[in-house]
Amino acid sequence: MPPAGERALDGVRVVFPAALGPVPFAAMLLADLGADVVRIDRAGAAGVIDTALADDPRTRGQRSIGIDLKHPRGRAVAVRLAASADVLLEGMRPGAMERLGLGPADLHAVNPRLIYGRATGWGQDGPLARTAGHDINYIARSGALHPIGDPDRPPAVPLNLVADFGGGGAYLALGVLAALVQRGRTGRGQVVDAAMVDGAASLTTMIHGMLGSGAWRPERGANLLDGAAPFYRAYRTADDRYVAVGAIEPAFYRALLDGLELDPGDWPQHDRSRWPAQRTALAEIFASRTRAEWVERFRGTDACVTAVSTPGEAAADPELAARGVFVDWDGLRQPAPAPRLSASPAAARPRCGQAADTAEILAELGLGADEAAGLSAARAVFAAPARP
């Protein structure tokens, strides 16, 4: 067991060029576990990525340095950072880091122990590798989007949670952790190719198993978990809010019927021919009371009926607060780190401003401010604005 106060990834340094999507989420997960995460911000004028950093909880626990990776001296500093790192993460299109002289071969030449994590939409190889896309495209092509939503409407877009953060960022962090464990045995680093299309497809593994066994129908809105089942869907309430019902197990379904004062003999659970009529009847019942009334009706039961909360409501939920699901860190309400480790709990770590730690990180690399200031008069290689 590690000493009191030590976290799981203490002593692990992670470096990554600022990006949108899965990479900063993976960096946050690693920082939450104790890694020293250094973000490489672009020196000079702020762009979309830099503006997005201001209030982003994904920057918590990080430090940042401003480097122009297109300048030879800036690249040289990035190489020095990678030489001192355990992990490098990047989310550029395939070949972009190689063109900068910062690809895996370049950096493994100076640091063979480096774990080089790469997050892209379609992967580092294959016919789609250089094709543009976003979360919706990756989940559409992988089969993860089609099953979601009402069968009479286009598939419902699940924000960018499935590919960007689930199949991308979380799988990238998982691959990095696995590679770190293997490096402990071999002493060698490797490349982690975390394609969002791969991760999104991986998340549908259970569905493929059910398809193979005949327990899943290919059409949307005809299955146990896609809203077809009257006991596993959301219903509108009298105040135009929603409750979610997830009473799958027989005992939970019986608790649902008890709470609704319905006769189980008239409500067989798995007679699919009756599901459409049951959905209609339950919709009318739930529309007769407010969300708060239904929540109170089912409080303390195993009927699996819960409020559908907005993100703001979830952050203020007193029962979630009792567990600490959300925290107030650095003046911002945000989800707490997950998962929780008993011997190395996460602690509050402030968000990181753009290029806020440039001087500190340069000093760690043995570069003084005077040396940085004389690198280029035409183009800012380093930028160190004051921490907000």
Side-chain angles (χ1 to χ4, degrees), residues 360-376:
E360 176 183 80
I361 296 169
L362 287 176
E364 292 175 0
L365 297 175
L367 291 171
D370 54 342
E371 186 176 359
L375 286 176
S376 174

Side-chain angles (χ1 to χ4, degrees), residues 39-264:
R39 188 182 69 242
I40 300 175
D41 291 334
R42 294 175 297 178
V48 174
I49 291 175
D50 310 305
T51 302
L53 294 173
D55 296 314
D56 193 338
R58 290 177 298 165
T59 68
R60 66 192 184 200
Q62 299 176 11
R63 299 186 295 156
S64 61
I65 180 172
I67 301 177
D68 184 349
L69 294 178
K70 295 182 179 180
H71 190 287
R73 298 294 294 275
R75 286 197 299 274
V77 173
V79 171
R80 292 182 71 162
L81 271 173
S84 69
D86 298 283
V87 178
L88 182 138
L89 306 177
E90 65 94 1
M92 299 184 186
R93 285 203 194 188
M97 289 291 278
E98 283 82 354
R99 289 191 294 273
L100 291 171
L102 299 172
D106 303 301
L107 299 185
H108 280 149
V110 298
N111 183 0
R113 292 173 54 82
L114 183 69
I115 308 301
Y116 198 110
R118 319 193 78 169
T120 57
W122 307 107
Q124 295 298 314
D125 54 28
L128 296 173
R130 298 183 182 277
T131 304
H134 283 291
D135 186 291
I136 191 171
N137 307 115
Y138 313 135
I139 64 174
R141 199 70 182 266
S142 67
L145 177 60
H146 177 270
I148 303 174
D150 192 308
D152 299 321
R153 298 180 180 179
V157 180
L159 305 181
N160 62 333
L161 301 178
V162 178
D164 268 356
F165 301 131
Y171 273 63
L172 175 60
L174 172 64
V176 164
L177 294 175
L180 284 170
V181 171
Q182 186 176 23
R183 192 187 70 178
R185 298 194 301 268
T186 67
R188 298 189 302 273
Q190 61 181 299
V191 177
V192 177
D193 179 0
M196 286 179 265
V197 69
D198 294 349
S202 176
L203 291 170
T204 69
T205 299
M206 185 187 75
I207 294 176
H208 283 275
M210 296 175 75
L211 277 168
S213 68
W216 189 275
R217 301 181 186 180
E219 61 269 23
R220 184 167 60 256
N223 296 284
L224 178 67
L225 301 176
D226 64 5
F231 49 85
Y232 198 86
R233 61 184 285 124
Y235 291 96
R236 186 188 298 270
T237 57
D239 51 349
D240 283 333
R241 309 305 292 276
Y242 291 88
V243 292
V245 177
I248 295 178
E249 290 80 358
F252 300 165
Y253 182 65
R254 179 59 185 263
L256 171 68
L257 298 182
D258 288 347
L260 298 175
E261 299 180 350
L262 298 174
D263 184 351

Side-chain angles (χ1 to χ4, degrees), residues 312-334:
E313 288 174 329
D317 187 312
E319 292 173 327
L320 299 187
R323 174 168 167 80
V325 176
F326 292 86
V327 293
D328 288 304
W329 284 359
D330 199 26
L332 183 70
R333 190 73 167 164
Q334 57 195 277

